[in-house]
Amino acid sequence: MSIREIKLHEVLPRVFGGMEAEERVAASQIWLRDVSFERGCRTLVAAESGTGKSSLLSFMFGRRRDYMGDIFADGENVRNFSIDRWYRLRSNSISLLPQELCLFPELTAMENVNIKNRLTSHRSGQWIKEAFDMLEIGDRANVPAGKMSVGQQQRVAIIRALCQPFDFLLLDEPVSHLDSRNNSTVAKLIENTAAECGAGVIVTSVGNHLDMDYKQVIRL
């Protein structure tokens, strides 16, 4: 199963439905608009805090349904997808890096990555090791995630997000805790991995954004 296009039609978080949100919504290029993301895209969603960037990615990933409007995957309304359909999409077509990272703090960095990779069987042990080394956390592979810095945890979660096939990679503030050097290294790994499979990359940011060559910048 693959996805060529994700389309939003007049989507708006239900919490934004009141009159007090009119000004904020009017300035948005996404909410209450028709917006399409095609496979292979490189899109930055520039946002301010509280404008719904995490909600946007959660809607597209099917984690939340508390929105007005419709979201389509290759012309099919995702509201009609079964649990099994979402499972297959999340395993093979859409990968999400949530802002909260969702690592298991008591497990090591490597164990956190391997939990997912055992489910997908997508990456070799050598690929994972090289990714850890490339992102300069190879010496932290056997450290519990809860004892790592937030920046190190971000890099672990990024590697985990890449341990599956995908047509779209959704990244919620992926480098908010990284310096410019680590940002560039992370961007290179993501760009190379996405290019290998022709995938689209959609990144949200309120400031420090992933250092990629974006073809599209949308204001949320």
Side-chain angles (χ1 to χ4, degrees), residues 129-168:
K129 180 181 182 304
E130 290 175 358
F132 267 79
D133 291 339
M134 180 178 180
L135 301 191
E136 299 183 5
I137 50 174
D139 62 339
R140 308 289 286 171
N142 295 316
V143 173
K147 294 186 178 181
M148 302 174 76
S149 71
V150 178
Q152 291 169 341
Q153 290 181 40
Q154 276 191 321
R155 283 172 273 173
V156 173
I158 287 165
I159 294 171
R160 182 188 58 188
L162 299 177
C163 285
Q164 68 165 84
F166 55 84
D167 301 308
F168 287 91

Side-chain angles (χ1 to χ4, degrees), residues 2-214:
S2 63
I3 299 176
R4 298 180 302 277
E5 180 188 51
I6 298 174
K7 182 176 180 179
L8 279 61
H9 173 64
E10 298 187 356
V11 169
L12 181 71
R14 292 195 179 278
V15 71
F16 286 1
M19 294 293 290
E20 68 279 0
E22 280 189 2
E23 182 176 346
R24 175 166 44 185
V25 170
S28 173
Q29 295 175 316
I30 292 181
W31 301 136
L32 296 179
R33 307 286 191 268
D34 283 347
V35 183
S36 294
F37 304 97
E38 296 184 357
R39 185 176 179 183
C41 69
R42 299 291 183 271
T43 300
L44 173 65
V45 178
E48 297 180 2
S49 296
T51 54
K53 61 177 182 54
S54 297
S55 297
L56 172 66
L57 297 190
S58 290
F59 298 157
M60 295 169 68
F61 193 64
R63 293 176 74 185
R64 290 174 50 187
R65 295 165 56 91
D66 55 324
Y67 60 88
M68 297 179 282
D70 297 292
I71 299 175
F72 300 92
D74 289 343
E76 295 186 70
N77 195 318
V78 302
R79 288 192 188 276
N80 300 325
F81 289 178
S82 65
I83 293 175
D84 180 67
R85 180 78 176 276
W86 273 118
Y87 171 78
R88 286 182 283 126
L89 285 174
R90 293 168 185 157
S91 299
N92 299 286
S93 301
I94 308 176
S95 184
L96 171 68
L97 172 73
Q99 184 181 4
E100 62 271 23
L101 303 179
C102 297
L103 297 175
F104 294 101
E106 71 279 8
L107 300 182
T108 68
M110 185 63 74
E111 287 171 339
N112 270 280
V113 171
N114 282 336
I115 283 177
K116 181 166 189 177
N117 199 55
R118 281 198 295 269
L119 293 173
T120 64
S121 300
H122 188 60
R123 298 295 182 187
S124 67
Q126 183 63 27
W127 186 95
I128 294 173
K129 180 181 182 304
E130 290 175 358
F132 267 79
D133 291 339
M134 180 178 180
L135 301 191
E136 299 183 5
I137 50 174
D139 62 339
R140 308 289 286 171
N142 295 316
V143 173
K147 294 186 178 181
M148 302 174 76
S149 71
V150 178
Q152 291 169 341
Q153 290 181 40
Q154 276 191 321
R155 283 172 273 173
V156 173
I158 287 165
I159 294 171
R160 182 188 58 188
L162 299 177
C163 285
Q164 68 165 84
F166 55 84
D167 301 308
F168 287 91
L169 179 63
L170 312 180
L171 304 171
D172 193 2
E173 291 203 71
V175 294
S176 57
H177 294 276
L178 301 186
D179 58 25
S180 59
R181 181 171 58 83
N182 281 309
N183 184 327
S184 297
T185 305
V186 165
K188 182 178 180 180
L189 176 63
I190 290 173
E191 177 59 58
N192 290 345
T193 306
E196 287 173 0
C197 55
V201 181
I202 302 171
V203 180
T204 68
S205 175
V206 297
N208 180 32
H209 60 262
L210 183 67
D211 187 16
M212 294 182 65
D213 182 16
Y214 296 101

